[in-house]
mmCIF file of all heavy atoms in Angstrom:
data_model
loop_
_atom_site.group_PDB
_atom_site.id
_atom_site.type_symbol
_atom_site.label_atom_id
_atom_site.label_comp_id
_atom_site.label_asym_id
_atom_site.label_seq_id
_atom_site.Cartn_x
_atom_site.Cartn_y
_atom_site.Cartn_z
ATOM 1 N N LEU G 164 116.646 90.119 89.705
ATOM 2 C CA LEU G 164 115.255 90.325 89.614
ATOM 3 C C LEU G 164 114.730 89.857 88.158
ATOM 4 O O LEU G 164 113.662 89.257 88.191
ATOM 5 C CB LEU G 164 114.878 91.792 89.792
ATOM 6 C CG LEU G 164 114.973 92.302 91.175
ATOM 7 C CD1 LEU G 164 114.773 93.843 91.258
ATOM 8 C CD2 LEU G 164 114.216 91.542 92.152
ATOM 9 N N LEU G 165 115.452 90.093 87.154
ATOM 10 C CA LEU G 165 115.150 89.719 85.798
ATOM 11 C C LEU G 165 115.004 88.139 85.829
ATOM 12 O O LEU G 165 113.975 87.611 85.436
ATOM 13 C CB LEU G 165 116.191 90.051 84.888
ATOM 14 C CG LEU G 165 116.149 89.350 83.423
ATOM 15 C CD1 LEU G 165 114.922 89.702 82.666
ATOM 16 C CD2 LEU G 165 117.432 89.760 82.684
ATOM 17 N N ASP G 166 115.964 87.473 86.327
ATOM 18 C CA ASP G 166 115.928 85.966 86.325
ATOM 19 C C ASP G 166 114.775 85.461 87.260
ATOM 20 O O ASP G 166 114.157 84.448 86.846
ATOM 21 C CB ASP G 166 117.247 85.370 86.929
ATOM 22 C CG ASP G 166 118.341 85.678 85.818
ATOM 23 O OD1 ASP G 166 118.105 85.866 84.756
ATOM 24 O OD2 ASP G 166 119.586 85.434 86.256
ATOM 25 N N ALA G 167 114.531 86.093 88.254
ATOM 26 C CA ALA G 167 113.263 85.689 89.100
ATOM 27 C C ALA G 167 111.988 85.759 88.405
ATOM 28 O O ALA G 167 111.182 84.813 88.433
ATOM 29 C CB ALA G 167 113.293 86.472 90.499
ATOM 30 N N VAL G 168 111.788 86.995 87.689
ATOM 31 C CA VAL G 168 110.584 87.065 86.832
ATOM 32 C C VAL G 168 110.435 86.075 85.847
ATOM 33 O O VAL G 168 109.458 85.466 85.591
ATOM 34 C CB VAL G 168 110.430 88.563 86.452
ATOM 35 C CG1 VAL G 168 109.312 88.666 85.380
ATOM 36 C CG2 VAL G 168 110.313 89.479 87.603
ATOM 37 N N LYS G 169 111.686 85.864 85.148
ATOM 38 C CA LYS G 169 111.736 84.873 84.057
ATOM 39 C C LYS G 169 111.355 83.431 84.608
ATOM 40 O O LYS G 169 110.555 82.662 84.044
ATOM 41 C CB LYS G 169 112.978 84.805 83.334
ATOM 42 C CG LYS G 169 113.218 86.137 82.406
ATOM 43 C CD LYS G 169 114.538 86.218 81.992
ATOM 44 C CE LYS G 169 115.022 85.110 81.102
ATOM 45 N NZ LYS G 169 116.525 85.454 80.509
ATOM 46 N N ALA G 170 111.876 83.104 85.813
ATOM 47 C CA ALA G 170 111.676 81.875 86.345
ATOM 48 C C ALA G 170 110.209 81.512 86.779
ATOM 49 O O ALA G 170 109.812 80.430 86.500
ATOM 50 C CB ALA G 170 112.567 81.648 87.630
ATOM 51 N N VAL G 171 109.478 82.488 87.246
ATOM 52 C CA VAL G 171 108.138 82.164 87.690
ATOM 53 C C VAL G 171 107.064 82.313 86.561
ATOM 54 O O VAL G 171 106.008 81.698 86.643
ATOM 55 C CB VAL G 171 107.714 83.080 88.885
ATOM 56 C CG1 VAL G 171 108.601 82.781 90.120
ATOM 57 C CG2 VAL G 171 107.623 84.536 88.559
ATOM 58 N N GLY G 172 107.544 83.031 85.534
ATOM 59 C CA GLY G 172 106.505 83.008 84.431
ATOM 60 C C GLY G 172 105.198 83.819 84.680
ATOM 61 O O GLY G 172 104.199 83.575 83.987
ATOM 62 N N ILE G 173 105.202 84.700 85.620
ATOM 63 C CA ILE G 173 103.917 85.366 85.955
ATOM 64 C C ILE G 173 104.002 86.726 85.195
ATOM 65 O O ILE G 173 105.000 87.418 85.228
ATOM 66 C CB ILE G 173 103.882 85.695 87.518
ATOM 67 C CG1 ILE G 173 103.884 84.493 88.269
ATOM 68 C CG2 ILE G 173 102.725 86.628 87.808
ATOM 69 C CD1 ILE G 173 104.093 84.604 89.752
ATOM 70 N N PRO G 174 102.857 87.038 84.564
ATOM 71 C CA PRO G 174 102.808 88.343 83.759
ATOM 72 C C PRO G 174 103.135 89.506 84.647
ATOM 73 O O PRO G 174 102.581 89.625 85.834
ATOM 74 C CB PRO G 174 101.402 88.425 83.353
ATOM 75 C CG PRO G 174 100.933 87.017 83.163
ATOM 76 C CD PRO G 174 101.556 86.349 84.497
ATOM 77 N N THR G 175 104.165 90.228 84.300
ATOM 78 C CA THR G 175 104.748 91.363 85.167
ATOM 79 C C THR G 175 104.771 92.600 84.327
ATOM 80 O O THR G 175 105.232 92.687 83.179
ATOM 81 C CB THR G 175 106.141 91.044 85.616
ATOM 82 O OG1 THR G 175 106.053 89.727 86.341
ATOM 83 C CG2 THR G 175 106.851 92.009 86.400
ATOM 84 N N VAL G 176 104.441 93.710 85.122
ATOM 85 C CA VAL G 176 104.416 95.047 84.563
ATOM 86 C C VAL G 176 105.474 95.903 85.325
ATOM 87 O O VAL G 176 105.397 95.861 86.570
ATOM 88 C CB VAL G 176 103.088 95.732 84.537
ATOM 89 C CG1 VAL G 176 103.274 97.237 84.046
ATOM 90 C CG2 VAL G 176 102.066 95.021 83.612
ATOM 91 N N GLU G 177 106.454 96.514 84.687
ATOM 92 C CA GLU G 177 107.440 97.380 85.278
ATOM 93 C C GLU G 177 106.887 98.823 85.364
ATOM 94 O O GLU G 177 106.313 99.361 84.457
ATOM 95 C CB GLU G 177 108.642 97.409 84.399
ATOM 96 C CG GLU G 177 109.671 98.447 84.810
ATOM 97 C CD GLU G 177 110.829 98.583 83.690
ATOM 98 O OE1 GLU G 177 110.676 98.081 82.616
ATOM 99 O OE2 GLU G 177 111.888 99.208 84.115
ATOM 100 N N VAL G 178 106.881 99.395 86.574
ATOM 101 C CA VAL G 178 106.363 100.710 86.776
ATOM 102 C C VAL G 178 107.303 101.581 87.313
ATOM 103 O O VAL G 178 108.200 101.166 88.169
ATOM 104 C CB VAL G 178 105.086 100.611 87.684
ATOM 105 C CG1 VAL G 178 104.695 102.030 88.158
ATOM 106 C CG2 VAL G 178 103.945 99.874 87.162
ATOM 107 N N HIS G 179 107.306 102.837 86.863
ATOM 108 C CA HIS G 179 108.204 103.898 87.502
ATOM 109 C C HIS G 179 107.318 105.148 87.641
ATOM 110 O O HIS G 179 106.508 105.563 86.743
ATOM 111 C CB HIS G 179 109.382 104.241 86.610
ATOM 112 C CG HIS G 179 110.379 103.065 86.425
ATOM 113 N ND1 HIS G 179 111.147 102.627 87.442
ATOM 114 C CD2 HIS G 179 110.287 102.128 85.394
ATOM 115 C CE1 HIS G 179 111.764 101.589 86.885
ATOM 116 N NE2 HIS G 179 111.252 101.253 85.759
ATOM 117 N N ILE G 180 107.470 105.886 88.856
ATOM 118 C CA ILE G 180 106.728 106.983 89.191
ATOM 119 C C ILE G 180 107.145 108.182 88.236
ATOM 120 O O ILE G 180 106.366 108.833 87.711
ATOM 121 C CB ILE G 180 106.851 107.371 90.625
ATOM 122 C CG1 ILE G 180 106.235 106.295 91.487
ATOM 123 C CG2 ILE G 180 106.291 108.782 90.783
ATOM 124 C CD1 ILE G 180 106.450 106.428 92.964
ATOM 125 N N SER G 181 108.471 108.298 87.992
ATOM 126 C CA SER G 181 109.071 109.441 87.135
ATOM 127 C C SER G 181 109.186 108.850 85.795
ATOM 128 O O SER G 181 109.126 107.564 85.546
ATOM 129 C CB SER G 181 110.416 109.797 87.722
ATOM 130 O OG SER G 181 111.285 108.846 87.589
ATOM 131 N N ASP G 182 109.341 109.753 84.856
ATOM 132 C CA ASP G 182 109.733 109.383 83.461
ATOM 133 C C ASP G 182 111.140 109.140 83.257
ATOM 134 O O ASP G 182 111.937 110.050 83.044
ATOM 135 C CB ASP G 182 109.245 110.320 82.514
ATOM 136 C CG ASP G 182 109.425 109.976 81.066
ATOM 137 O OD1 ASP G 182 109.977 109.013 80.659
ATOM 138 O OD2 ASP G 182 108.929 110.873 80.113
ATOM 139 N N VAL G 183 111.596 107.859 83.548
ATOM 140 C CA VAL G 183 113.011 107.465 83.565
ATOM 141 C C VAL G 183 113.727 107.831 82.159
ATOM 142 O O VAL G 183 114.788 108.103 82.075
ATOM 143 C CB VAL G 183 113.258 106.100 83.965
ATOM 144 C CG1 VAL G 183 112.902 105.892 85.411
ATOM 145 C CG2 VAL G 183 112.526 105.062 83.125
ATOM 146 N N SER G 184 112.909 107.810 81.053
ATOM 147 C CA SER G 184 113.475 108.155 79.794
ATOM 148 C C SER G 184 114.012 109.563 79.661
ATOM 149 O O SER G 184 114.754 109.845 78.737
ATOM 150 C CB SER G 184 112.480 107.963 78.686
ATOM 151 O OG SER G 184 111.373 108.894 78.680
ATOM 152 N N ARG G 185 113.549 110.432 80.541
ATOM 153 C CA ARG G 185 113.989 111.792 80.527
ATOM 154 C C ARG G 185 115.079 112.127 81.726
ATOM 155 O O ARG G 185 115.183 113.280 81.929
ATOM 156 C CB ARG G 185 112.752 112.720 80.754
ATOM 157 C CG ARG G 185 111.820 112.669 79.556
ATOM 158 C CD ARG G 185 110.654 113.500 79.726
ATOM 159 N NE ARG G 185 109.755 113.539 78.626
ATOM 160 C CZ ARG G 185 109.771 114.493 77.698
ATOM 161 N NH1 ARG G 185 110.494 115.679 77.901
ATOM 162 N NH2 ARG G 185 108.924 114.448 76.688
ATOM 163 N N ARG G 186 115.582 111.023 82.266
ATOM 164 C CA ARG G 186 116.547 111.284 83.316
ATOM 165 C C ARG G 186 117.910 110.889 83.013
ATOM 166 O O ARG G 186 118.176 110.830 81.787
ATOM 167 C CB ARG G 186 115.942 110.416 84.583
ATOM 168 C CG ARG G 186 114.595 111.142 85.061
ATOM 169 C CD ARG G 186 114.165 110.575 86.243
ATOM 170 N NE ARG G 186 115.042 110.754 87.357
ATOM 171 C CZ ARG G 186 115.002 110.196 88.511
ATOM 172 N NH1 ARG G 186 114.123 109.204 88.676
ATOM 173 N NH2 ARG G 186 115.854 110.468 89.460
ATOM 174 N N GLU G 187 118.817 110.574 83.918
ATOM 175 C CA GLU G 187 120.187 110.389 83.680
ATOM 176 C C GLU G 187 120.426 109.111 82.724
ATOM 177 O O GLU G 187 119.555 108.252 82.596
ATOM 178 C CB GLU G 187 120.954 109.993 85.028
ATOM 179 C CG GLU G 187 120.856 111.054 86.117
ATOM 180 C CD GLU G 187 119.627 110.867 87.003
ATOM 181 O OE1 GLU G 187 118.629 110.215 86.676
ATOM 182 O OE2 GLU G 187 119.693 111.514 88.078
ATOM 183 N N ASP G 188 121.536 109.215 82.040
ATOM 184 C CA ASP G 188 121.824 108.127 81.058
ATOM 185 C C ASP G 188 121.787 106.802 81.632
ATOM 186 O O ASP G 188 121.313 105.793 81.001
ATOM 187 C CB ASP G 188 123.324 108.271 80.414
ATOM 188 C CG ASP G 188 123.278 109.577 79.476
ATOM 189 O OD1 ASP G 188 122.183 109.980 79.066
ATOM 190 O OD2 ASP G 188 124.426 109.957 79.190
ATOM 191 N N PHE G 189 122.320 106.690 82.857
ATOM 192 C CA PHE G 189 122.333 105.259 83.464
ATOM 193 C C PHE G 189 120.923 104.685 83.710
ATOM 194 O O PHE G 189 120.678 103.369 83.677
ATOM 195 C CB PHE G 189 123.225 105.228 84.747
ATOM 196 C CG PHE G 189 122.550 105.912 85.910
ATOM 197 C CD1 PHE G 189 121.655 105.138 86.733
ATOM 198 C CD2 PHE G 189 122.906 107.216 86.228
ATOM 199 C CE1 PHE G 189 121.200 105.807 87.839
ATOM 200 C CE2 PHE G 189 122.288 107.831 87.197
ATOM 201 C CZ PHE G 189 121.410 107.151 88.110
ATOM 202 N N ARG G 190 119.934 105.464 83.794
ATOM 203 C CA ARG G 190 118.507 105.197 84.053
ATOM 204 C C ARG G 190 117.897 104.572 82.756
ATOM 205 O O ARG G 190 116.749 104.240 82.785
ATOM 206 C CB ARG G 190 117.706 106.212 84.656
ATOM 207 C CG ARG G 190 118.283 106.576 86.116
ATOM 208 C CD ARG G 190 117.219 107.559 86.759
ATOM 209 N NE ARG G 190 117.862 108.127 87.952
ATOM 210 C CZ ARG G 190 117.819 107.675 89.143
ATOM 211 N NH1 ARG G 190 117.300 106.544 89.360
ATOM 212 N NH2 ARG G 190 118.504 108.213 90.105
ATOM 213 N N GLN G 191 118.628 104.633 81.582
ATOM 214 C CA GLN G 191 118.027 104.221 80.260
ATOM 215 C C GLN G 191 118.048 102.708 80.183
ATOM 216 O O GLN G 191 117.460 102.141 79.397
ATOM 217 C CB GLN G 191 118.596 104.897 79.158
ATOM 218 C CG GLN G 191 118.601 106.405 79.266
ATOM 219 C CD GLN G 191 117.286 107.087 79.626
ATOM 220 O OE1 GLN G 191 116.331 106.766 79.011
ATOM 221 N NE2 GLN G 191 117.247 107.731 80.652
ATOM 222 N N VAL G 192 118.951 102.069 81.106
ATOM 223 C CA VAL G 192 119.045 100.593 81.100
ATOM 224 C C VAL G 192 118.091 99.932 82.161
ATOM 225 O O VAL G 192 118.006 100.327 83.268
ATOM 226 C CB VAL G 192 120.396 100.214 81.563
ATOM 227 C CG1 VAL G 192 120.620 98.650 81.608
ATOM 228 C CG2 VAL G 192 121.437 100.836 80.418
ATOM 229 N N SER G 193 117.338 99.018 81.496
ATOM 230 C CA SER G 193 116.314 98.205 82.413
ATOM 231 C C SER G 193 116.522 96.793 82.117
ATOM 232 O O SER G 193 116.139 96.198 81.082
ATOM 233 C CB SER G 193 114.870 98.675 82.214
ATOM 234 O OG SER G 193 114.080 97.717 82.961
ATOM 235 N N TYR G 194 117.101 96.070 83.134
ATOM 236 C CA TYR G 194 117.289 94.670 82.942
ATOM 237 C C TYR G 194 115.923 93.936 83.045
ATOM 238 O O TYR G 194 115.602 93.151 82.285
ATOM 239 C CB TYR G 194 118.286 94.065 84.026
ATOM 240 C CG TYR G 194 119.606 94.405 83.731
ATOM 241 C CD1 TYR G 194 120.374 95.466 84.485
ATOM 242 C CD2 TYR G 194 120.404 93.784 82.678
ATOM 243 C CE1 TYR G 194 121.595 95.816 84.219
ATOM 244 C CE2 TYR G 194 121.751 94.175 82.422
ATOM 245 C CZ TYR G 194 122.271 95.208 83.169
ATOM 246 O OH TYR G 194 123.603 95.462 83.027
#
Side-chain angles (χ1 to χ4, degrees):
L164 292 178
L165 166 65
D166 287 348
V168 171
K169 287 169 62 176
V171 297
I173 300 169
T175 301
V176 177
E177 173 188 15
V178 171
H179 298 283
I180 293 169
S181 70
D182 184 354
V183 291
S184 71
R185 296 177 174 257
R186 296 190 57 199
E187 302 93 339
D188 287 344
F189 71 88
R190 295 189 195 275
Q191 305 314 304
V192 174
S193 171
Y194 287 104

